[in-house]
Amino acid sequence: MLADTTKDSLFYLYYKQWIAVYKEGAIRAVTMNKYKLTQSWLERLAPELKVCEINRVAYQKLLNDYAAEHERQTTMDFHHQLKGAILDAVDEGLVERDPTRKAIIKGKAPRQKKPKYLNQFELHKLLTSLQLGTALSWDWAILLIAKTGIRFSEAMAVTPNDFDFPRQTLSIDKTWNYKEQGGFTPTKNRSSVRKIQIDWQLIIQFSELIKNMPADKPIFATKRIFNSTANHYLARRCTQAGIPVITIHGLRHTHASLLLFAGVSIASVARRLGHASMTTTQKTYLHIIQELENQDVDLVMRSLSGLM
């Protein structure tokens, strides 16, 4: 398909073909949908732009038009997805030189962010308000995610086989494809395959809850599930507890934040969360790390002042 592309081809069609050749089957469905969304925006913003017409000015105008309706980070993602295709066009001689070089990324002012995580007091209020009955429910899922920091898709894929009660561990080696029709799928990356140490209380609770369940079937995803359903349920629980409303993913942020504030190393937190590298953890929780560093500076100053 790409072999038939010429300099006079419409850019959005070239990009559509480039996705089909280089991305189809090589990336997860959710990521593929993002590339297709970029393609639709490209067709909407520059339907008559030809491959040969892509220079720095034309490309910057394209970014500016996209940024007029999106925040800066979203525009950055748009830029990165286009850049791969454009650099290939440069290599093929369809575009003379790299027009993405020194591109200026703009964007609308970010919306006011909702709280991403709870502090220890707020989490305690949430967990004590849960209705933990004798059958598995969203309340039990909330408790498990809050205490382990696992992703929603990982939690929905947990089976009785994944619990090792004598060793007090939970194995994470798959996810649940809740965005489509369900079923087990691989983890986000190889680093996401991990064993998480869990506390004795969780061990006792779940050993009773799952003892009569099929060993290889998910304990929560017994029917079609939606992340939005879980978020709405958690929102009601947060409101009832009188705490800020967060999402299910916010429980993961809460778990990591509490560990960092407790003095757990970034390396240990990264392994527990299944991050590919500590860099991911540092970027995600930069505000907390900076706060901890400020506390460290105060501690150093107090220690040094006591030497005289």
Side-chain angles (χ1 to χ4, degrees):
M1 290 182 290
L2 283 176
D4 298 330
T5 303
T6 68
K7 293 184 176 182
D8 290 326
S9 299
L10 293 173
F11 180 54
Y12 81 86
L13 290 177
Y14 165 78
Y15 185 73
K16 181 178 181 179
Q17 293 173 346
W18 181 83
I19 292 173
V21 172
Y22 291 105
K23 300 300 177 182
E24 194 77 57
I27 56 179
R28 290 154 58 101
V30 62
T31 308
M32 187 65 181
N33 289 337
K34 292 177 182 178
Y35 275 92
K36 288 181 177 179
L37 183 60
T38 293
Q39 173 204 318
S40 66
W41 272 100
L42 192 57
E43 184 174 357
R44 174 178 167 181
L45 296 174
E48 298 180 3
L49 179 65
K50 296 179 180 179
V51 174
C52 63
E53 296 172 337
I54 303 174
N55 52 36
R56 287 188 63 193
V57 173
Y59 184 70
Q60 186 64 59
K61 182 180 184 304
L62 176 62
L63 289 183
N64 292 349
D65 290 344
Y66 184 84
E69 300 187 47
H70 297 86
E71 294 182 16
R72 187 178 184 279
Q73 183 56 55
T74 310
T75 305
M76 180 68 79
D77 295 339
F78 179 76
H79 163 62
H80 284 154
Q81 291 189 341
L82 288 179
K83 187 173 182 178
I86 292 174
L87 291 180
D88 280 349
V90 172
D91 289 343
E92 294 297 326
L94 300 174
V95 178
E96 288 189 11
R97 56 178 64 88
D98 179 12
T100 68
R101 182 173 171 271
K102 294 185 178 180
I104 307 299
I105 309 300
K106 304 174 185 178
K108 295 196 303 182
R111 293 170 294 177
Q112 186 174 3
K113 303 295 183 183
K114 295 180 180 179
K116 284 190 174 182
Y117 65 93
L118 304 174
N119 60 36
Q120 189 167 354
F121 173 73
E122 292 164 343
L123 180 62
H124 177 73
K125 287 189 70 176
L126 171 64
L127 297 186
T128 54
S129 73
L130 297 178
Q131 296 179 8
L132 302 173
T134 56
L136 284 162
S137 61
W138 282 122
D139 290 272
W140 284 110
I142 289 169
L143 179 68
L144 183 66
I145 295 172
K147 284 200 165 188
T148 60
I150 57 178
R151 300 176 177 92
F152 177 73
S153 59
E154 294 171 342
M156 295 302 102
V158 167
T159 68
N161 273 342
D162 296 325
F163 289 93
D164 186 337
F165 295 122
R167 291 183 174 83
Q168 291 189 214
T169 62
L170 174 64
S171 294
I172 302 298
D173 56 11
K174 57 193 173 300
T175 62
W176 189 254
N177 190 14
Y178 67 90
K179 292 185 178 180
E180 295 179 20
Q181 296 302 316
F184 294 119
T185 52
T187 54
K188 187 174 183 179
N189 50 55
R190 285 192 297 176
S191 301
S192 295
V193 177
R194 61 204 188 276
K195 290 184 185 295
I196 299 174
Q197 206 74 30
I198 52 181
D199 65 84
W200 63 268
Q201 189 177 26
L202 210 59
I203 289 291
I204 294 172
Q205 291 168 322
F206 273 85
S207 62
E208 278 297 310
L209 286 165
I210 67 174
K211 63 182 179 181
N212 295 319
M213 297 187 71
D216 59 349
K217 301 293 183 182
I219 63 176
F220 294 116
T222 55
K223 58 182 180 179
R224 184 76 192 274
I225 56 167
F226 300 91
N227 184 251
S228 57
T229 304
N231 283 332
H232 290 321
Y233 189 91
L234 177 57
R236 290 200 301 272
R237 281 281 178 258
C238 289
T239 301
Q240 290 167 0
I243 60 175
V245 172
I246 62 168
T247 63
I248 285 288
H249 195 70
L251 292 173
R252 177 172 162 87
H253 288 314
T254 298
H255 182 81
S257 302
L258 294 182
L259 292 182
L260 290 169
F261 277 123
V264 178
S265 71
I266 296 174
S268 294
V269 173
R271 282 195 297 271
R272 192 168 175 88
L273 295 181
H275 283 164
S277 70
M278 284 191 293
T279 303
T280 303
T281 314
Q282 289 170 324
K283 286 181 179 178
T284 307
Y285 302 103
L286 179 62
H287 60 293
I288 296 173
I289 294 169
Q290 288 174 336
E291 189 174 338
L292 291 172
E293 286 176 346
N294 290 336
Q295 293 177 9
D296 287 343
V297 170
D298 292 339
L299 181 61
V300 169
M301 291 301 99
R302 287 199 301 271
S303 299
L304 292 177
S305 63
L307 294 176
M308 293 294 290

